[in-house]
Amino acid sequence: MKNFNRLTLLLILVVTCIMAKAQPNAPDIVVSKNGKGQFTSIQEAVLSVRDYKPTRTTIYVKEGVYNEKVIIPANKCDITIIGEGVDKVKIVYSDYASLNNMGTFNTWTVRVDGTGIRMENLTIENAAGRVGQAVALHVEGDRCEFANVKLLGNQDTLYTGGTACSRQYYCNCYIEGTTDFIFGPATAWFEGCEIFCKADSYITAASTPDNVPYGYIFNGCKIKSDVGVKKVYLGRPWRAYASVTFLNCEMPESITPEGWHNWGRVENQKSARYAEHNSMGPGAKSDARVDWSKQLTDAEAEAITMDRVMQFRSDWKPAY
């Protein structure tokens, strides 16, 4: 009965994400490549929003490929950006770490520093190719949400930043990459997402601070891998107290039996917080996992709730 209730709740959550409206009623700002909106670029639309505006602003983006590097500054808060369709609206740029020595953290296609930012029904891509670190989405803000968003890239596709313990929520998203393609210190919940591994490597490289109770939670996600991919680790600790938990996730044969890697540092095995519960599929070899990871009991897994994970700083429930 407990498993039935959990699966029922998961189905409701995923359906809710999918049913997010494609276009809001009377958006505040419309962006259109053909000039039939207030702006032709997403960046211009974002910068037009009043600093620290006390009410939410909705930006609707019409179909098109937007070749621009978009930043939502810290003084732009409570903004919702809705695309006409996940495959119709694409934000693309091609910076990478070794280009003019810019470093990983300047390679983003989209960077979110504002608080309370929501994005849905669009694609964000770093199109640099397999040239090293090249971030598609870089998030520093707190209480940020992404629903039905595709994140395309290779190494370091998604950086979940936030030195002040950012909280992030990803619902019904598609995230692809090669090496450490979901990485950073934030607390992030991934609900019903598809995680696509393009090469033999590592999915996560969390750097969760030791005083933060949760890092990454993947719930009801599907991990898939490209043809020829045979050796994928669920994660390795970028920092010693990395926290990653997979709940009710489907895993392909390409997931290594040991599951987790210590990044070549034996001391990480004493502090990294890696766990699973009810993993499914040919890659769900719980009895073969490294002995310094944990298989959660039903009671332990049921205690990991959205409220408990997201409200460690202050009350917050994602809207999606």
Side-chain angles (χ1 to χ4, degrees):
M1 180 63 68
K2 288 183 178 178
N3 287 337
F4 174 79
N5 290 338
R6 180 178 286 274
L7 291 173
T8 301
L9 177 59
L10 174 61
L11 178 61
I12 292 171
L13 287 169
V14 172
V15 170
T16 301
C17 291
I18 295 172
M19 292 178 66
K21 292 183 179 179
Q23 181 174 359
N25 293 324
D28 300 289
I29 299 170
V30 175
V31 178
S32 177
K33 296 284 289 185
N34 62 14
K36 294 184 178 180
Q38 289 98 319
F39 299 96
T40 58
S41 86
I42 298 169
Q43 185 65 82
E44 289 177 331
V46 168
L47 294 179
S48 75
V49 177
R50 174 185 165 190
D51 291 353
Y52 302 109
K53 186 170 176 277
T55 57
R56 179 162 294 276
T57 300
T58 300
I59 299 173
Y60 181 69
V61 184
K62 290 191 173 183
E63 182 175 1
V65 176
Y66 294 81
N67 292 289
E68 53 180 310
K69 201 172 172 79
V70 177
I71 183 169
I72 303 176
N75 56 329
K76 307 296 183 182
C77 304
D78 297 315
I79 295 174
T80 298
I81 300 177
I82 302 178
E84 189 171 358
V86 65
D87 294 316
K88 291 183 177 181
V89 175
K90 182 181 287 188
I91 309 170
V92 184
Y93 217 75
S94 303
D95 277 343
Y96 54 96
S98 61
L99 178 66
N100 300 322
N101 296 313
M102 70 171 54
T104 302
F105 302 105
N106 292 311
T107 62
W108 42 268
T109 297
V110 173
R111 174 167 174 149
V112 177
D113 289 348
T115 296
I117 304 303
R118 302 173 187 164
M119 302 183 77
E120 63 180 85
N121 297 339
L122 51 79
T123 294
I124 300 170
E125 178 179 10
N126 188 311
R130 299 191 182 185
V131 291
Q133 299 94 329
V135 176
L137 176 62
H138 176 142
V139 183
E140 296 279 349
D142 187 29
R143 296 186 283 108
C144 294
E145 305 175 52
F146 304 86
N148 197 30
V149 169
K150 283 187 178 179
L151 301 177
L152 308 181
N154 291 283
Q155 183 172 348
D156 293 358
T157 303
L158 170 60
Y159 177 57
T160 63
T163 56
C165 305
S166 163
R167 292 167 294 177
Q168 304 172 21
Y169 180 67
Y170 299 82
C171 176
N172 192 40
C173 291
Y174 171 91
I175 307 168
E176 69 171 30
T178 55
T179 306
D180 304 332
F181 62 96
I182 302 174
F183 72 115
T187 293
W189 186 293
F190 300 84
E191 184 71 42
C193 294
E194 181 176 331
I195 312 298
F196 189 75
C197 307
K198 298 170 68 175
D200 291 347
S201 197
Y202 313 87
I203 296 173
T204 67
S207 56
T208 321
D210 61 348
N211 63 337
V212 173
Y214 297 100
Y216 297 156
I217 306 292
F218 294 85
N219 186 41
C221 295
K222 291 184 178 180
I223 301 173
K224 297 182 179 181
S225 57
D226 209 347
V227 176
V229 175
K230 297 180 180 180
K231 191 174 183 180
V232 175
Y233 290 89
L234 297 173
R236 58 178 180 171
W238 183 22
R239 296 291 184 267
Y241 291 90
S243 171
V244 182
T245 301
F246 286 86
L247 304 173
N248 313 302
C249 293
E250 295 184 20
M251 300 188 179
E253 184 67 35
S254 59
I255 299 298
T256 61
E258 56 268 38
W260 308 92
H261 193 277
N262 65 11
W263 207 314
R265 305 185 186 104
V266 175
E267 59 269 25
N268 284 339
Q269 298 177 190
K270 300 177 182 178
S271 53
R273 296 170 285 172
Y274 288 152
E276 293 174 70
H277 180 72
N278 193 34
S279 294
M280 299 168 279
K285 298 179 174 67
S286 60
D287 57 344
R289 295 292 193 249
V290 293
D291 60 9
W292 45 276
S293 67
K294 186 173 184 178
Q295 294 293 319
L296 301 174
T297 66
D298 288 348
E300 288 171 329
E302 289 175 2
I304 302 175
T305 64
M306 180 76 69
D307 285 352
R308 180 166 293 177
V309 171
M310 291 301 186
Q311 295 185 17
F312 73 95
R313 286 185 60 191
S314 61
D315 288 349
W316 179 55
K317 292 185 178 181
Y320 294 118

